[in-house]
Amino acid sequence: MDYKKILTISIVTILIIIGVAIVIGSNKNRRVFFVDDFNKSIESTISSKPDKKYSYEIVKLKGEVNDTILIRPCEDCKTVKLTGKINQKFMNFFEGGKSIIRFDPYKATDGDLKLTHKIR
């Protein structure tokens, strides 16, 4: 191999490693739930790092349910009722501490729902 091929392969390898590190590092402040069992509630807590600045806590819901569900997207938020086809995003101001969300299947007994909880 010549010098240019070795250099190109090295740069591509380094960029891939950096990309993987960024993805792995960013998932520490993120939780994803795939809800297909509507017999139990979910409570998710993400603690912030004391040396890092945050601005938002984010909750995304995407999917479909056969009846009403309840979501409380932050500790100080009101509970929201959702039903049917859902594509909802909640963004709340967040300075640090603990971000807590609560999901309750309420009247829903069936569906397929992706719930994402993260802070940034």
Side-chain angles (χ1 to χ4, degrees), residues 32-59:
V32 178
F33 302 92
F34 295 95
V35 182
D36 55 7
D37 178 5
F38 287 82
N39 292 317
K40 55 185 172 183
S41 299
I42 295 172
E43 181 175 299
S44 174
T45 303
I46 301 175
S47 297
S48 65
K49 297 177 185 173
D51 59 335
K52 188 170 178 185
K53 300 256 184 205
Y54 296 90
S55 53
Y56 291 101
E57 54 187 335
I58 301 165
V59 176

Side-chain angles (χ1 to χ4, degrees), residues 7-43:
L7 183 61
T8 303
I9 291 171
S10 298
I11 290 171
V12 169
T13 304
I14 289 170
L15 290 174
I16 290 171
I17 291 170
I18 290 171
V20 168
I22 289 171
V23 168
I24 291 171
S26 67
N27 285 340
K28 291 182 180 179
N29 294 328
R30 180 177 159 208
R31 301 239 172 22
V32 178
F33 302 92
F34 295 95
V35 182
D36 55 7
D37 178 5
F38 287 82
N39 292 317
K40 55 185 172 183
S41 299
I42 295 172
E43 181 175 299

Side-chain angles (χ1 to χ4, degrees), residues 42-89:
I42 295 172
E43 181 175 299
S44 174
T45 303
I46 301 175
S47 297
S48 65
K49 297 177 185 173
D51 59 335
K52 188 170 178 185
K53 300 256 184 205
Y54 296 90
S55 53
Y56 291 101
E57 54 187 335
I58 301 165
V59 176
K60 294 180 186 177
L61 292 142
K62 186 166 183 143
E64 194 166 350
V65 293
N66 69 338
D67 208 335
T68 308
I69 62 166
L70 303 175
I71 184 78
R72 189 170 177 192
C74 73
E75 194 65 20
D76 297 328
C77 296
K78 292 183 179 182
T79 301
V80 178
K81 291 182 180 183
L82 300 170
T83 189
K85 197 168 198 171
I86 299 170
N87 188 4
Q88 188 76 37
K89 180 177 180 180

